[in-house]
Amino acid sequence: LRAPFGAVGSTLISLLVMVSALGAVNGLVFTGSRIYSAMGHDHAIFARLSHWHPRWRSPVWSIAAQAFISALLVVIVGSPWGRQMLSLPEGRSGFETLLICSAPVFWLFFLLTGLSIFVLRRKDPDLVRPFRVPLYPMTPLVFCLTCAFMLYRSASFAGHLSLIGVLFLMAGIPLYWFSNRSRHVTNLNPVTIPTTATT
């Protein structure tokens, strides 16, 4: 917008992007932490994440874990020693590198979420659903095709940097396996999520 409207145009679009990004981050923080809390309910080794603070009515350990992992990624990718350890190319900021290497994983899970609609419709055809997808199956099909295209383009653009996101993703496999094994042995005091909690 700098070309047609000058400095005013570039400033306004920058402010719009900032406000939009802050709103998205707010939603991701609150939604993501509640997903981790639900995971703590299902997997014993993550039981601590399911703890909700009685006064604040929020999953405090999940929020703290999410903040720690986010800060760790920023420090590793943004620091000189971290970039050297990961053999990251010069010329890109830490934020840009983090965005590039995490985008393929982001679009992969969006694609899997869309595909789950088709799988669940087939597995549980008679289940009562409070919300029906409009224009099914076209709407989720277009969504899945878009996500598949974005996954391909982001992975192509990221190149070997996408391996960073894949490594973090693969780290979950042994944790999931260990959790499933320990799940049959012991239960680490699961905490019930308050029904009045806002999600």
Side-chain angles (χ1 to χ4, degrees):
L1 290 181
R2 182 185 295 274
F5 301 112
V8 174
S10 64
T11 301
L12 288 177
I13 195 64
S14 296
L15 288 172
L16 182 62
V17 169
M18 288 166 60
V19 171
S20 176
L22 285 172
V25 167
N26 179 64
L28 289 170
V29 167
F30 280 93
T31 305
S33 61
R34 281 151 178 77
I35 291 172
Y36 306 146
S37 177
M39 180 180 68
H41 260 281
D42 295 338
H43 300 280
I45 62 172
F46 299 111
R48 175 73 69 178
L49 299 179
S50 68
H51 175 72
W52 282 61
H53 195 281
R55 179 182 172 190
W56 298 333
R57 297 185 181 276
S58 57
V60 288
W61 283 105
S62 289
I63 294 173
Q66 185 173 245
F68 174 77
I69 293 171
S70 300
L72 183 65
L73 287 172
V74 169
V75 169
I76 291 175
V77 177
S79 64
W81 62 267
R83 297 176 67 83
Q84 186 176 7
M85 179 182 67
L86 297 173
S87 301
L88 298 178
E90 299 295 330
R92 285 199 175 107
S93 67
F95 177 78
E96 186 181 2
T97 304
L98 196 57
L99 181 65
I100 291 171
C101 69
S102 61
V105 175
F106 176 84
W107 287 110
L108 171 64
F109 276 92
F110 262 41
L111 174 60
L112 293 174
T113 301
L115 292 174
S116 70
I117 294 175
F118 298 103
V119 173
L120 294 175
R121 281 284 185 98
R122 181 173 290 274
K123 285 180 66 176
D124 302 309
D126 301 322
L127 188 68
V128 177
R129 292 174 169 85
F131 176 79
R132 304 288 292 187
V133 178
L135 303 177
Y136 181 87
M138 287 308 300
T139 309
L141 184 61
V142 170
F143 176 79
C144 289
L145 289 174
T146 304
C147 291
F149 173 75
M150 293 300 294
L151 171 60
Y152 167 74
R153 293 298 297 162
S154 60
S156 300
F157 182 75
H160 75 279
L161 288 179
S162 59
L163 293 176
I164 298 174
V166 172
L167 285 174
F168 277 96
L169 186 62
M170 299 299 285
I173 294 176
L175 287 173
Y176 180 79
W177 177 80
F178 180 76
S179 176
N180 274 348
R181 284 197 52 170
S182 62
R183 173 182 196 175
H184 300 295
V185 177
T186 182
N187 188 356
L188 299 180
N189 188 24
V191 180
T192 304
I193 298 178
T195 55
T196 55
T198 304
T199 54

